[in-house]
Amino acid sequence: MLDRKIFFYIPSTFKLNNKIAFNMKKSVTIKDIAKELNVSIATVSRALRNSSEISKETKKAVLKLAKEMDYHPNLVARSLINKSSRVLGVVVPTINRQFWSNSISGIENEAYKVGYKVMIFQSAESYQKEVEIVEILANSMVDGILIAFSKETQDFAHVQHVVDRGIPVLLFERVSEFLQLSKVVTDDFLGAKTIVNHLIERGKNRIAYIGGPLSLTVCMDRFLGYKSALLENKIPFDEKLAIEISDFNVEYAGRAFKELWESGNRPDAVFCFADVLALGVLAVSKELKIKIPFELAIAGFGNDEIAKYVSPSLTTMDQPSFQIGQLAAKLILEQINSEEKDDFLFKTEIIKPVLVIREST
Amino acid sequence: MLDRKIFFYIPSTFKLNNKIAFNMKKSVTIKDIAKELNVSIATVSRALRNSSEISKETKKAVLKLAKEMDYHPNLVARSLINKSSRVLGVVVPTINRQFWSNSISGIENEAYKVGYKVMIFQSAESYQKEVEIVEILANSMVDGILIAFSKETQDFAHVQHVVDRGIPVLLFERVSEFLQLSKVVTDDFLGAKTIVNHLIERGKNRIAYIGGPLSLTVCMDRFLGYKSALLENKIPFDEKLAIEISDFNVEYAGRAFKELWESGNRPDAVFCFADVLALGVLAVSKELKIKIPFELAIAGFGNDEIAKYVSPSLTTMDQPSFQIGQLAAKLILEQINSEEKDDFLFKTEIIKPVLVIREST
DNA sequence: TTGTATGCGTTATCAC
DNA sequence: GTGATAACGCATACAA
């Protein structure tokens, strides 16, 4: 079957056509259709917006003609007059990592339900670009801005500034304690604790920890969550089972786990800091022919690119990152809607990013 | 070091503050600053837009007051009058896959250079949603729309419709031959051929092929690119070295490669259809302790999530998907700028998605 | 129920 | 140089 002749084969990409065509059209407005129908533009406007103060007949006539003339409402003009564009602006460091693209999907998902659109920008971890973006968004009449700060960002004046201009802003994941705003973040301590408890409940008591450098807050939080779970369950902490590796690297994690396994002091479960590390452990497990999950259970945080390879059944919506997005959108929409009422209370929502990767049954 | 006490530790996420605050402000306009300065709004407008027909003093005064009053131009109003928002609309099936998010990064990168913003929407592979999105974009005065069709999309009237309204549209990657528009696509045939030639140039002549089901056009194109390279280099096609697997699955690819390797009929290089498959091959290579790239070279298409794990040195901008985005943006911006001139010729650009994953030196 | 007039914030075309 | 004024496309208070 693989032995077909190729001489007369035309790759599909070559079948595409190159043609010319171009036409500049001015779009039809309510004015046009009003003139055509000999009514006022106010009447047309009312008919199109399904207003109550209009007769059935004129409404029908307007709608009919609008369709015939191929009328489309200009959302920009509508924004200007309504002082609302029904658009949320989102600023993330990059959309190239699953965590952020998932978050955005969550935001979009929630926004879409109530007819909101989402405008996405990437700061590319650049403070300067972030400042520019926030300025653009603020000047574009978006109804709200959701920001995850770039790594460079130390000064938050640009955000405080748009807040002072009365624009709803929400921070997620990469937040600042200096800004009094609604925030959505993951709770690393509680998340880790929950995961480890999960393993303990399933009868594991020699649970290894493999994580990144403890100098990072996120690592320390997760490590202490791990310890806390052991403590509460009266499982002694075994220093030899806890490994701190210097970087989030598949190879390092694999090597560390290999040494651990071959040391004889074998764990019955591994709590991995992130699924990049889990992948390393999984790879070595395969190499060593360890049965997952029966001989060894692997669980950890799953907010990374690799998750779906490790756990193919995982859908986007299962990801904590997606839920962060959803919650973030929900919160800012709440704030936007309460703007008139002038009684909004900022909230900080904390997500437990539990994602069990391969647990034993 | 890992033995710290945790009793007094406060996870960082708990340090966040919940406070209230809220203020609705009406933004300052050129009218406000004109009144304050006792000049006309026209003068203010000219000063702010750095017009030539204005005196240095008034300009300076306006700029100074504008800063003091915290003036920001309303981009929506500007769009309305300029009939241009300097925004590109992008519709992709999802941003959750590296291929698409990379493409978007490419688009953004190019657009950003000329002061354009990018509005991103996900069709979620739904035709219905795609139609809605295109409508929204068309009504939002975006200057151009870039679309990669959803899998469901068979009917292209929604696109033809906005084209007829005079809105520049460009198709990328998932295109249609029924629409006469500029397009940017990858050339699977040439891409595969180039990769295989690359391996041949490096002295390999027992090059295995591992790819997906040939019923898919993309697979057939790549397979024939592989064959074509062999043919041109007078290397006989060995049926036993060409493996068609039923799905894009890490495990399948690994298993197929393992069988191949253990059959004794060993290749000195593998051309992998996609890097998901390459990952499978890499995993098994590790298991079998095959030296990569010395004993075996692996090369293939690299538009997938896994690429950076396989080839850590790879940057986003190296990805063909990024280049597709760049080219797409370049083309549509060209079209937008030539709109007045009414002389634009649609082009189809074909990208060769060559990404060598682990080549031998 | 419909029409008139005004405004959203900005730019552009005239005059002066 | 600067100032009125008319757009851009739409919505609405008010009048009829």
Side-chain angles (χ1 to χ4, degrees):
Chain A
M1 197 249 292
L2 283 175
D3 198 19
R4 307 187 194 177
K5 296 279 185 294
I6 67 160
F7 306 104
F8 300 117
Y9 183 81
I10 302 168
S12 61
T13 42
F14 287 137
K15 293 176 198 157
L16 299 160
N17 40 20
N18 287 18
K19 289 283 173 55
I20 52 162
F22 223 56
N23 39 344
M24 189 64 178
K25 281 193 187 176
K26 48 222 140 293
S27 47
V28 4
T29 72
I30 53 170
K31 193 186 275 181
D32 300 324
I33 138 166
K35 195 181 294 171
E36 193 78 18
L37 222 54
N38 266 325
V39 294
S40 73
I41 59 168
T43 305
V44 176
S45 173
R46 276 187 276 252
L48 289 169
R49 305 199 326 96
N50 213 359
S51 168
S52 57
E53 40 182 42
I54 193 149
S55 77
K56 285 221 167 181
E57 298 87 55
T58 42
K59 187 165 142 189
K60 195 176 247 173
V62 168
L63 257 44
K64 183 163 172 281
L65 188 62
K67 191 150 209 169
E68 280 173 19
M69 295 180 71
D70 195 29
Y71 166 81
H72 298 271
N74 184 322
L75 297 182
V76 171
R78 208 171 256 182
S79 298
L80 190 59
I81 202 158
N82 286 340
K83 294 188 173 311
S84 157
S85 56
R86 293 189 86 76
V87 170
L88 298 180
V90 180
V91 192
V92 288
T94 171
I95 58 170
N96 266 298
R97 304 207 75 213
Q98 280 277 327
F99 184 86
W100 301 115
S101 58
N102 269 351
S103 299
I104 292 170
S105 294
I107 294 170
E108 240 207 354
N109 181 272
E110 207 59 35
Y112 199 77
K113 291 181 193 164
V114 288
Y116 266 75
K117 293 147 272 170
V118 176
M119 207 160 173
I120 302 160
F121 287 85
Q122 308 185 58
S123 65
E125 303 286 8
S126 151
Y127 168 71
Q128 193 48 49
K129 198 166 176 196
E130 184 180 294
V131 172
E132 286 177 38
I133 289 169
V134 169
E135 173 79 6
I136 288 174
L137 282 175
N139 298 346
S140 297
M141 297 186 72
V142 294
D143 290 5
I145 301 178
L146 300 99
I147 309 179
F149 287 119
S150 87
K151 278 182 187 159
E152 276 183 27
T153 307
Q154 301 293 335
D155 182 66
F156 306 98
H158 58 307
V159 172
Q160 187 57 53
H161 192 211
V162 302
V163 171
D164 291 342
R165 285 167 67 184
I167 299 166
V169 176
L170 178 142
L171 311 179
F172 68 103
E173 199 55 20
R174 299 248 200 103
V175 306
S176 160
E177 30 180 335
F178 300 118
L179 293 167
Q180 295 189 344
L181 294 169
S182 287
K183 299 165 193 175
V184 180
V185 292
T186 57
D187 183 339
D188 294 294
F189 179 81
L190 260 186
K193 194 166 161 180
T194 312
I195 292 171
V196 176
N197 271 327
H198 185 93
L199 290 169
I200 294 172
E201 277 166 27
R202 273 150 189 76
K204 307 294 177 186
N205 58 10
R206 299 194 41 72
I207 303 170
Y209 167 90
I210 297 183
L214 290 180
S215 51
L216 297 179
T217 309
V218 55
C219 295
M220 181 53 88
D221 284 356
R222 293 188 187 184
F223 172 61
L224 292 174
Y226 160 79
K227 282 197 70 175
S228 174
L230 296 183
L231 195 70
E232 279 183 10
N233 288 277
K234 305 205 192 329
I235 297 175
F237 168 70
D238 181 351
E239 204 170 323
K240 296 201 190 87
L241 287 178
I243 304 175
E244 177 187 14
I245 58 181
S246 58
D247 197 11
F248 298 99
N249 182 298
V250 192
E251 317 264 332
Y252 292 180
R255 205 178 307 150
F257 173 71
K258 194 171 184 177
E259 278 174 26
L260 177 63
W261 190 261
E262 291 178 342
S263 75
N265 185 24
R266 293 190 178 168
D268 54 8
V270 180
F271 165 61
C272 282
F273 180 88
D275 43 15
V276 188
L277 304 189
L279 189 78
V281 173
L282 272 171
V284 167
S285 303
K286 204 167 178 180
E287 198 183 321
L288 298 177
K289 306 202 189 302
I290 299 169
K291 280 181 195 130
I292 308 288
F294 299 103
E295 196 174 351
L296 182 79
I298 302 180
F301 283 67
N303 283 330
D304 229 312
E305 286 81 357
I306 219 73
K308 72 165 81 56
Y309 291 97
V310 177
S311 187
S313 66
L314 212 69
T315 74
T316 298
M317 293 183 26
D318 294 327
Q319 300 263 17
S321 45
F322 186 88
Q323 289 157 14
I324 288 177
Q326 281 190 306
L327 191 52
K330 231 177 248 177
L331 273 185
I332 195 130
L333 287 169
E334 238 176 57
Q335 181 173 341
I336 291 167
N337 289 326
S338 78
E339 283 240 84
E340 309 101 62
K341 289 177 245 152
D342 213 36
D343 64 341
F344 189 74
L345 199 71
F346 290 129
K347 292 178 195 162
T348 295
E349 296 278 354
I350 299 173
I351 300 258
K352 284 188 293 179
V354 179
L355 178 81
V356 171
I357 294 184
R358 287 222 180 152
E359 52 164 323
S360 71
T361 41
Chain B
M1 200 250 287
L2 285 175
D3 198 20
R4 304 188 195 176
K5 297 279 185 292
I6 67 163
F7 305 105
F8 299 118
Y9 184 79
I10 302 169
S12 60
T13 41
F14 287 137
K15 292 177 197 154
L16 300 160
N17 39 20
N18 288 18
K19 289 283 172 59
I20 52 162
F22 224 57
N23 38 342
M24 189 65 176
K25 281 195 186 175
K26 48 222 140 292
S27 46
V28 3
T29 72
I30 53 170
K31 194 186 274 181
D32 299 325
I33 139 166
K35 196 182 292 171
E36 193 77 19
L37 223 55
N38 265 327
V39 294
S40 74
I41 58 169
T43 306
V44 176
S45 175
R46 276 187 276 251
L48 290 169
R49 305 195 324 95
N50 211 1
S51 167
S52 56
E53 40 182 39
I54 191 149
S55 78
K56 285 221 166 183
E57 298 86 54
T58 41
K59 187 164 141 189
K60 194 175 249 174
V62 168
L63 258 43
K64 182 164 172 282
L65 187 62
K67 189 149 208 167
E68 280 173 20
M69 296 180 71
D70 194 31
Y71 166 82
H72 298 270
N74 184 323
L75 298 181
V76 172
R78 202 172 263 181
S79 299
L80 190 59
I81 200 155
N82 286 341
K83 292 184 175 312
S84 157
S85 56
R86 294 189 85 76
V87 170
L88 297 180
V90 180
V91 192
V92 289
T94 171
I95 58 171
N96 266 299
R97 304 207 77 213
Q98 280 278 327
F99 184 86
W100 302 116
S101 59
N102 269 352
S103 299
I104 292 170
S105 294
I107 293 170
E108 241 209 353
N109 181 272
E110 206 62 30
Y112 199 77
K113 290 181 192 163
V114 288
Y116 267 75
K117 292 147 274 170
V118 176
M119 207 160 174
I120 303 160
F121 287 86
Q122 306 185 58
S123 65
E125 303 287 7
S126 150
Y127 168 71
Q128 192 49 49
K129 197 167 177 195
E130 184 180 292
V131 172
E132 286 177 38
I133 289 169
V134 169
E135 172 79 5
I136 289 173
L137 282 175
N139 298 346
S140 297
M141 296 187 72
V142 294
D143 290 5
I145 302 178
L146 301 98
I147 309 179
F149 288 119
S150 86
K151 278 181 187 159
E152 275 183 28
T153 306
Q154 301 293 336
D155 182 65
F156 306 97
H158 59 305
V159 172
Q160 188 57 53
H161 191 214
V162 302
V163 171
D164 292 342
R165 285 167 66 185
I167 300 166
V169 176
L170 178 143
L171 310 179
F172 69 103
E173 200 54 22
R174 300 249 200 102
V175 306
S176 160
E177 28 182 337
F178 299 118
L179 293 168
Q180 296 189 343
L181 293 170
S182 288
K183 299 164 193 176
V184 180
V185 291
T186 56
D187 184 340
D188 294 293
F189 179 81
L190 260 185
K193 194 167 163 178
T194 312
I195 293 171
V196 176
N197 271 328
H198 184 93
L199 291 169
I200 294 172
E201 278 168 26
R202 274 149 190 77
K204 307 295 177 186
N205 58 9
R206 299 194 39 71
I207 303 170
Y209 167 91
I210 298 184
L214 291 180
S215 51
L216 297 178
T217 308
V218 55
C219 296
M220 181 54 89
D221 284 356
R222 293 188 187 182
F223 172 61
L224 293 173
Y226 160 79
K227 283 197 72 174
S228 174
L230 296 184
L231 195 71
E232 279 183 10
N233 288 278
K234 305 204 193 327
I235 297 176
F237 169 68
D238 181 351
E239 203 169 323
K240 296 202 191 86
L241 286 177
I243 304 175
E244 177 187 13
I245 57 180
S246 60
D247 197 11
F248 297 101
N249 181 299
V250 193
E251 317 265 332
Y252 292 0
R255 204 178 308 150
F257 173 70
K258 194 170 184 177
E259 278 174 28
L260 178 64
W261 189 261
E262 291 179 342
S263 74
N265 185 22
R266 293 190 177 168
D268 54 8
V270 180
F271 165 62
C272 282
F273 180 87
D275 44 14
V276 187
L277 303 189
L279 189 78
V281 173
L282 272 171
V284 168
S285 303
K286 204 167 179 182
E287 197 183 322
L288 299 176
K289 305 202 187 303
I290 300 169
K291 279 180 195 133
I292 309 287
F294 299 106
E295 196 173 352
L296 182 77
I298 302 180
F301 283 67
N303 282 328
D304 229 313
E305 285 81 358
I306 221 72
K308 73 165 79 56
Y309 291 97
V310 177
S311 186
S313 65
L314 212 69
T315 74
T316 298
M317 292 182 29
D318 294 326
Q319 300 265 15
S321 45
F322 185 89
Q323 289 157 14
I324 288 177
Q326 281 191 304
L327 191 50
K330 230 178 249 176
L331 272 186
I332 194 130
L333 288 169
E334 238 176 57
Q335 180 173 341
I336 291 167
N337 290 328
S338 78
E339 282 240 85
E340 311 101 61
K341 290 178 245 153
D342 212 36
D343 64 341
F344 190 75
L345 199 71
F346 291 128
K347 292 177 195 162
T348 294
E349 297 277 355
I350 299 174
I351 300 258
K352 283 188 293 179
V354 180
L355 178 81
V356 171
I357 295 185
R358 288 229 178 147
E359 51 163 325
S360 70
T361 41

